[in-house]
Amino acid sequence: MTRRRAGLVALFGAALLALAAEPVAAQPSASTTVRQIWDLNLSLLYVAIPITVLVEGILIYTVWRFRNQDEPLPTMENRRLEITWTIATAIILLFVGVASYQVMASPYVTAEAGDQAALQQENPERIEVQAYRYGWSFYYNGSSFSNTAEATSTGTLRLPADREVVLRVTSRDWLHAFHVPSLGLKADAFPGQYNRLRTVPDEPGTYQLYCAEYCGSGHSKMLGTVQVMPQDEYDQWIADQQSSGNGSQQNQTSN
């Protein structure tokens, strides 16, 4: 195989990988959290594609070049080549480590690791997410245990757009998992314990919520929705819930 053909094969392989990666780049990004995660994934993908093409190109060339040798000779020692690929590997690993640390250390991706970090906004919206067999209850600016929430809802979580939100995830009975893929949110729900999530939803719309931990016979039906709404509409909804008496009472179903 000539160098020109080898180059064409490598180029064709890169094109195929780029087409395979396109659906990944097209995933919805509706919050600060999911955007940071997808940016990291794409950065690592851009590093992985050239490496994959290079390795596969060398492998194909080697198989083709020495296909007729019944007793191939071992390669000769080449210190310059060994030093080169060792340094290149170290640079790639350093890039992956730094890029991953910058994202994983963000309070919007790993909330527990960023508890001492300063919030981008001084007054985040605080919502408790309570899982139960087989549904979801939400308590806005309050707690299910203190029974002092400004508003409650069941099945649909309302979030204000372009405002920092702090979610406290817990369970009423046994293990569940709160997962909203389009917002990049996922946390286990343990009885009597809290896992915290932080994000800034910035795309109004309705997103799928479901339990990501098998929790019994009704697990597949443990679905919900997350409705991201403009701040004024969110404030009006809270006011409507308070005026209708759907604030401090637990497990009320909102309309």
Side-chain angles (χ1 to χ4, degrees), residues 211-241:
C211 179
E213 186 77 33
Y214 181 72
C215 55
S217 59
H219 168 71
S220 62
K221 298 180 181 179
M222 191 170 171
L223 304 174
T225 57
V226 177
Q227 185 177 352
V228 179
M229 47 189 15
Q231 184 68 56
D232 57 344
E233 294 183 13
Y234 177 81
D235 292 338
Q236 183 61 49
W237 179 81
I238 292 289
D240 292 342
Q241 299 305 304

Side-chain angles (χ1 to χ4, degrees), residues 2-3 23 26 39-40 42 48 56 70 93 104 117 141 150 160 181-182 190 197 199 203 214 242 244 255:
T2 64
R3 292 184 178 181
D39 286 347
L40 174 61
L42 290 177
E56 292 301 320
D70 296 332
L93 293 177
M104 296 303 296
N141 294 315
E150 292 182 356
S182 295
F190 297 102
L197 295 171
T199 191
E203 291 291 337
Y214 181 72
Q242 291 176 324
S244 64
N255 297 322

Side-chain angles (χ1 to χ4, degrees), residues 3 7 21 100 132 140 167-168 176 178 199 210 221 228 254:
R3 292 184 178 181
S100 300
Y132 62 89
Y140 300 81
L167 302 176
R168 298 199 309 164
H176 301 278
F178 175 82
T199 191
Y210 64 92
K221 298 180 181 179
V228 179
S254 65

Side-chain angles (χ1 to χ4, degrees), residues 80-99:
R80 180 177 299 178
L81 179 60
E82 292 177 1
I83 292 173
T84 299
W85 72 44
T86 300
I87 294 176
T89 302
I91 293 174
I92 293 171
L93 293 177
L94 181 63
F95 169 79
V96 171
V98 171

Side-chain angles (χ1 to χ4, degrees), residues 125-172:
E125 189 73 7
R126 302 181 185 275
I127 303 172
E128 178 181 304
V129 177
Q130 186 183 80
Y132 62 89
R133 295 176 293 173
Y134 295 99
W136 306 92
S137 293
F138 310 102
Y139 301 83
Y140 300 81
N141 294 315
S143 170
S144 60
F145 297 104
S146 64
N147 198 24
T148 57
E150 292 182 356
T152 64
S153 65
T154 300
T156 299
L157 170 61
R158 272 82 173 183
L159 298 179
D162 299 317
R163 181 178 178 184
E164 182 153 21
V165 176
V166 177
L167 302 176
R168 298 199 309 164
V169 182
T170 188
S171 173
R172 187 188 306 172

Side-chain angles (χ1 to χ4, degrees), residues 50-101:
I51 295 175
T52 302
V53 172
L54 176 62
V55 172
E56 292 301 320
I58 293 175
L59 178 61
I60 294 173
Y61 170 78
T62 302
V63 171
W64 180 267
R65 174 68 174 79
F66 300 102
R67 68 188 186 282
N68 295 323
Q69 290 192 12
D70 296 332
E71 297 181 0
L73 299 176
T75 57
M76 302 297 295
E77 180 179 357
N78 190 328
R79 292 187 178 181
R80 180 177 299 178
L81 179 60
E82 292 177 1
I83 292 173
T84 299
W85 72 44
T86 300
I87 294 176
T89 302
I91 293 174
I92 293 171
L93 293 177
L94 181 63
F95 169 79
V96 171
V98 171
S100 300
Y101 176 78

